[in-house]
Amino acid sequence: MKADLSSVDKAPGAGRPRDPRIDAAILSATADLLVQVGYSNLSLAAAAERAGTTKSALYRRWSSKAELVHEAAFPAAPSALAAPAGDIAGDIRMMIAATRDVFSTPVVRAALPGLLADMTADAELNARVMARFAGLFAAVRMRLGDAIDRGEAHPDVDPDRLIELIGGATMMRMLLYPGESLDDSWVDQTTAIVVHGVTR
């Protein structure tokens, strides 16, 4: 039976910590609803009801549907690269594979079109959402800088463009072919293009 969390978060007292059970319940309910009804049909009231809490408790945590959906779809923004340092080609393949794995989940597939539209329309929302990836972007810059110092990468490569290429290629594939999976062959081919370029 679903727990009733509607009153857990209402105790008085300034600075009272948020109950993590409510956070988890809302995020889980949002993820489930995204897959079932899609981004455009998802309402905050429905997410709160399924989570067993109140809409006001939800709004104390997330100020908009887009922010809630982003955290439900990307519950833990990556903050580091897992591949051993010293191999920029390996780093890039790992980044592409990890991006593929994240973007191909049912929740992200359901959230992505509407989430992108809302972020494009709201610059402040876009900045808040993108700030969750600051740790990962810093790790990419560090790895690329190390590769340049070792002579493995061109010194004029902009790490932000590298991030955009990887994320953009993956999102474009998801949006154009929503019913198709991205296998390791796609990862290998995309890695080869990013690492070696197109011209001979």
Side-chain angles (χ1 to χ4, degrees), residues 11 65 96 196:
K65 181 168 83 169
I96 293 172
H196 302 297

Side-chain angles (χ1 to χ4, degrees), residues 68-188:
L68 170 61
V69 166
H70 187 274
E71 191 166 341
F74 304 97
S79 60
L81 299 178
D87 179 4
I88 190 61
D91 282 345
I92 290 172
R93 190 193 188 286
M94 186 278 300
M95 290 163 56
I96 293 172
T99 304
R100 180 270 314 266
D101 292 344
V102 168
F103 279 76
S104 60
T105 65
V107 176
V108 174
R109 282 182 181 266
L112 195 58
L115 185 59
L116 286 175
D118 281 356
M119 289 172 61
T120 301
D122 187 338
E124 291 185 1
L125 169 65
N126 185 69
R128 290 195 300 272
V129 168
M130 295 306 295
R132 299 187 66 230
F133 291 95
L136 176 62
F137 295 165
V140 172
R141 294 185 186 98
M142 181 183 69
R143 287 290 181 90
L144 182 58
D146 291 344
I148 291 171
D149 292 342
R150 294 191 305 269
E152 291 183 10
H154 293 293
D156 58 348
V157 173
D158 187 325
D160 291 338
R161 301 296 82 76
L162 176 60
I163 293 166
E164 291 166 4
L165 282 170
I166 293 172
T170 310
M171 283 192 290
M172 181 63 74
R173 176 59 185 262
M174 293 285 99
L175 293 171
L176 290 178
Y177 306 101
E180 296 184 11
S181 62
L182 275 66
D183 57 15
D184 287 343
S185 176
W186 180 88
V187 172
D188 291 338

